[in-house]
Amino acid sequence: QVQFVQSGAEVKKPGASVKVACQASGYTFTSYPIHWLRQAPGQGFEWVGGIDPGNGKTRYSQKLQGRLTITTDTVARTAYMELRSLRSEDTAVYYCAKDLRTSFVSSFGMDVWGQGTTVTVSS
Amino acid sequence: ETTLTQSPAFMSATPGDTVTISCKASQDIDDDLNWYHQKPGGAPVLLVQDATTLVPGLPPRFSASGYGTDFSLTINNIESEDAAYYFCLQHDYFPLTFGLGTNVEIK
């Protein structure tokens, strides 16, 4: 079955960078876009960005553009989210999730999500 | 950016009750709305896609409706296992946006 395994929790100081990994299994990795979402403590979900592993096309949240890079390694079937110049407000659980649609022209929303990676930004 | 206003934020129900969660979009999003739930410590789980299509295996006590700007998720004869955080997602426009969620407690 479709499954994502994310890398472990991270604690970073303000100004540092973090790179979270998401390894996929159970489907053709290059056929579906992968999104990154986050949920800050006590808050709702926020879309961070996404990537089409088939062609490398990315879409980023305007709020995070400039600090965010999403990439994939198709051989390793792994997506990565790197966030730089971390601030306390970046403290959140970060999730990867697969789109229901095979194209990144638009989205059908996400079906399967990873287990989440807690990123804590604190001095 | 499309804002989703979800209500109520919290709901306490007794087994057997019928509960309805609302999600209102700030602009027309056709039927491009999904519903999810998340149990403590777990990953979100897709319940409904495209406003009304229940995922295979979802109990028939769940139903969903809506189009355009007004959407709802209804749970009939709610059971203790339905206790969770429920939220809506619109996928009509990028950026994808979410409702703030509803915590459903079962007494």
Side-chain angles (χ1 to χ4, degrees):
Chain A
Q1 75 280 21
V2 177
Q3 192 173 352
F4 295 98
V5 177
Q6 295 185 221
S7 50
E10 303 265 11
V11 179
K12 297 291 183 180
K13 293 195 182 303
S17 298
V18 69
K19 191 170 185 177
V20 180
C22 166
Q23 185 173 43
S25 61
Y27 73 101
T28 303
F29 182 70
T30 51
S31 291
Y32 296 87
I34 290 177
H35 299 273
W36 287 91
L37 310 307
R38 68 182 184 179
Q39 185 179 31
Q43 298 190 28
F45 282 92
E46 178 184 12
W47 180 75
V48 171
I51 188 166
D52 185 336
N55 58 22
K57 178 179 170 60
T58 55
R59 293 182 182 271
Y60 295 151
S61 160
Q62 199 165 5
K63 175 181 170 182
L64 298 175
Q65 186 119 27
R67 297 197 294 132
L68 176 67
T69 302
I70 297 174
T71 56
T72 58
D73 178 339
T74 56
V75 173
R77 304 172 55 84
T78 301
Y80 300 94
M81 183 221 57
E82 182 180 29
L83 192 58
R84 300 176 293 277
S85 301
L86 288 167
R87 309 161 183 170
S88 58
E89 53 263 39
D90 294 318
T91 294
V93 179
Y94 288 76
Y95 295 88
C96 60
K98 171 186 152 296
D99 204 295
L100 281 153
R101 185 170 186 173
T102 56
S103 164
F104 211 19
V105 171
S106 62
S107 173
F108 287 166
M110 295 76 65
D111 53 359
V112 181
W113 298 53
Q115 85 275 18
T117 296
T118 300
V119 174
T120 303
V121 183
S122 173
S123 54
Chain B
E1 179 169 316
T2 304
T3 300
L4 295 180
T5 302
Q6 188 173 340
S7 62
F10 176 81
M11 175 179 293
S12 184
T14 300
D17 283 351
T18 294
V19 304
T20 298
I21 300 168
S22 168
C23 189
K24 295 183 185 295
S26 60
Q27 60 183 316
D28 190 332
I29 57 170
D30 297 333
D31 63 352
D32 293 335
L33 186 115
N34 296 350
W35 289 97
Y36 301 81
H37 76 188
Q38 181 184 33
K39 298 189 177 181
V45 174
L46 176 66
L47 303 175
V48 179
Q49 66 180 94
D50 296 337
T52 60
T53 302
L54 277 58
V55 299
L58 192 65
R61 62 180 180 275
F62 286 84
S63 63
S65 64
Y67 190 90
T69 59
D70 289 351
F71 303 86
S72 64
L73 175 71
T74 298
I75 311 171
N76 292 295
N77 289 314
I78 200 166
E79 299 185 3
S80 58
E81 68 181 28
D82 299 328
Y85 170 75
Y86 291 79
F87 61 93
C88 52
L89 158 78
Q90 72 78 23
H91 55 85
D92 194 42
Y93 303 101
F94 283 104
L96 307 183
T97 52
F98 295 85
L100 288 179
T102 299
N103 277 299
V104 175
E105 171 196 83
I106 309 298
K107 297 173 196 168

